[in-house]
């Protein structure tokens, strides 16, 4: 098996790995600072390792993952200071002189879960993370879904009953889109405490399941997945899974088959392992 | 060019065509009655024509378009009397002894618009029809989107402000899903008159544009299309297009690029021409 590199770029930390998969990947992480300093640390990590044949980058977004585009490999309209319009793939190519693959963090995680995790062998499934944001990646007929750029599955608009939940939503672009209602910061803002501090059985979890179930119904109606893998910090609350299954079944009401809803198997390593899978030339969809 | 056949199966009428595309297709239509009688009329039409090499079927749904499935070619859970669990592709194969392709009416229309119509050359776009229902088909990276079965784009759940619009929605499965709020029968039920009888400038059209704009935002967030082609009886109201462009731009709020929104070019022939395109072995996605 080829020795490959993976870079998972998040807004607050970078994770780098070298190896061929979950069985042998060596993994390090460090904080995201400026692009210059951060790329230097990436280069330092790979210099300390046996050479790799290619590197995959799994990046926070929005990004341009289209190899035909003039801005391929760029992070585009992020509000994150210093990273907007940064030629990420170009900087890694310059620093390390190996072929580079580039996609979203959630597409990479989807690829990793399909290769080594909770969606092994499936040609149609969705990977969703619910944490500081709500994001998703998908395999459609065995290939990563891109469209014009890439999905932004958390920014869909869903019913919001303001009598039940007066919280206005905190997405800076859309207010009460799914992410604005259901990501970790929304839970914190609505209940005055981070999700992990709220007890099992708190009404927050029924509400959370209700919003996510609406997202699942919409993703399912549009993509007809076999399975939905739900990860991220918020989904570590195990009682969400049975609540989701009940609520999604209720909302679909027999019209469509209820997709499996399961946690990921690769946990926090999904992104960086997905970056390795990207490097392997796994479906890039471009 | 090969001579091919197309069958567009709707709940109230069947359209059959023989030819190679828009330039030479001979088209007939007749009412949908029982499967036995209707298939006999299909056979009669093709017997009256020069032989065709293959036939594509563009069917109302839900259907099973997966060639790997045991119920490939069946209409599945339709409420339409006599057609539930009907082996449609099998019946056509038996009657006409030619290879048969089978997909949804909206996927076929999407394929026709991509080959000869308003989406020529695009690899990522959505075709939506707003008429007695709301349905959609999509090309993803040049291939028809199926997923596990096929999309049901009209059954997504969107915000519904009951203070502004007390109408409860009339989808028999979901009440106020997009179809239940915005298809022709919803307009009729809400305003007490069929849409084509309501004047330009009636408040119905602002409301209609608002619901459809929420659908477009959700489809766009999930599939990232280059263009959305909007057809069907309701979309013949031309003022909907500028209203949609304004409302979608407003809702996306700069976060994602606004997709083109245009009418189809093939009009009521899109379905049956798409059936011919299916017959040509165009992307079946299976």
């Amino acid at each position: 098996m080829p020795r490959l590199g993976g870079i998972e770029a998040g807004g607050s930390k970078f994770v780098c790995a070298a190896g061929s998969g979950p069985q042998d990947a060596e993994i390090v992480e460090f904080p995201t600072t400026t692009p210059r300093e951060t790329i230097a640390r990436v280069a330092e990590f790979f210099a300390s390792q046996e050479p790799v044949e290619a590197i995959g980058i799994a990046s926070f977004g929005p990004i341009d993952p289209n190899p035909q585009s003039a801005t391929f490999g760029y992070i585009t309209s992020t509000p994150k200071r210093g990273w907007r319009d940064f030629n990420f793939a170009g900087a890694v190519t310059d620093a390390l002189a190996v072929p580079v693959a580039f996609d979203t963090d959630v597409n990479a995680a989807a690829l990793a879960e399909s290769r080594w995790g909770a969606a092994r062998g499936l040609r149609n499934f969705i990977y969703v993370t619910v944490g500081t944001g709500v994001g998703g990646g998908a395999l459609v007929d065995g290939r990563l879904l891109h469209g014009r750029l890439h999905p932004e599955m958390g920014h869909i608009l869903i019913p919001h009953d303001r009598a039940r939940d007066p919280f206005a939503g905190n997405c800076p672009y859309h207010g009460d889109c799914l992410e604005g209602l259901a990501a970790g910061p929304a839970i914190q803002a609505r209940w005055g405490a981070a999700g992990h501090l709220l007890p099992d059985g708190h009404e927050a979890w029924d509400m959370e399941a209700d919003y996510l179930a609406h997202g699942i119904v919409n993703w399912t109606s549009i993509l007809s997945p076999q399975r939905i893998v739900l990860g991220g910090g918020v989904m570590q609350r195990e009682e969400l899974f049975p609540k989701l299954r009940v609520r999604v079944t209720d909302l679909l009401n027999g019209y469509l088959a209820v997709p499996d809803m399961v946690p990921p198997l690769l946990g926090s390593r999904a992104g960086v392992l997905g970056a390795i899978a990207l490097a392997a030339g796994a479906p890039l969809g471009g």
Side-chain angles (χ1 to χ4, degrees), chain A:
Chain A
M1 277 185 296
R3 189 172 165 79
L4 300 164
I7 302 169
E8 181 190 7
S12 58
K13 70 174 184 189
F14 263 55
V15 187
C16 294
S20 62
Q23 67 290 349
D24 66 358
E26 266 196 61
I27 299 181
V28 300
E29 60 179 75
F30 43 82
T32 306
T33 58
T34 63
R36 187 196 181 101
E37 192 174 81
T38 312
I39 298 297
R41 292 200 68 172
V42 167
E44 201 176 288
F45 167 73
F46 285 107
S48 76
Q49 296 286 316
E50 295 293 306
V52 296
E53 292 178 27
I55 289 179
I57 303 173
S59 181
F60 68 101
I63 66 168
D64 183 345
N66 178 359
Q68 265 73 58
S69 161
T71 52
F72 166 73
Y74 281 62
I75 294 181
T76 58
S77 57
T78 178
K80 189 164 172 67
R81 213 184 149 81
W83 290 83
R84 192 185 176 108
D85 300 320
F86 173 57
N87 183 357
F88 194 165
V92 172
T93 306
D94 289 349
L96 295 161
V98 291
V100 165
F102 187 69
D103 213 322
T104 61
D105 44 8
V106 281
N107 263 351
L111 198 58
E113 289 290 339
S114 83
R115 177 155 304 178
W116 299 299
R120 219 174 306 184
L122 297 186
R123 296 182 65 79
N124 293 284
F125 86 100
I126 304 175
Y127 170 89
V128 172
T129 175
V130 186
T132 54
V134 177
L139 247 67
V140 169
D141 199 16
R143 302 193 300 173
L144 285 174
L145 171 64
H146 289 101
R148 178 189 209 156
L149 288 173
H150 55 80
E152 284 287 351
M153 300 213 190
H155 292 275
I156 60 174
L157 304 171
I158 58 165
H160 173 199
D161 178 352
R162 283 164 193 267
R164 179 185 180 198
D165 175 22
F167 177 60
N170 59 2
C171 170
Y173 290 92
H174 313 116
D176 61 352
C177 66
L178 176 58
E179 175 168 304
L181 291 170
I187 297 173
Q188 162 103 41
R190 180 185 295 114
W191 303 105
H196 70 271
L197 299 177
L198 300 173
D200 279 345
H202 190 284
E203 60 178 312
W205 305 121
D206 279 330
M207 186 177 286
E208 183 71 10
D210 189 51
Y211 289 133
L212 293 176
H214 281 80
I216 289 170
V217 165
N218 288 357
W219 299 323
T220 299
S221 299
I222 295 173
L223 291 172
S224 188
Q226 297 162 287
R227 185 171 296 168
I228 301 184
V229 178
L230 295 131
V234 171
M235 294 309 302
Q236 288 180 18
R237 179 69 51 154
E238 285 173 21
E239 69 177 304
L240 282 173
F241 283 92
K243 284 183 194 297
L244 277 178
R245 292 184 192 112
V246 168
R247 194 71 185 106
V248 170
T249 302
D250 180 40
L251 289 170
L252 286 173
N253 196 23
Y255 187 72
L256 296 176
V258 178
D260 297 342
M261 289 163 251
V262 301
L265 287 182
L266 300 173
S268 62
R269 300 198 303 161
V272 77
L273 291 173
I276 284 180
L278 287 173
L284 292 174

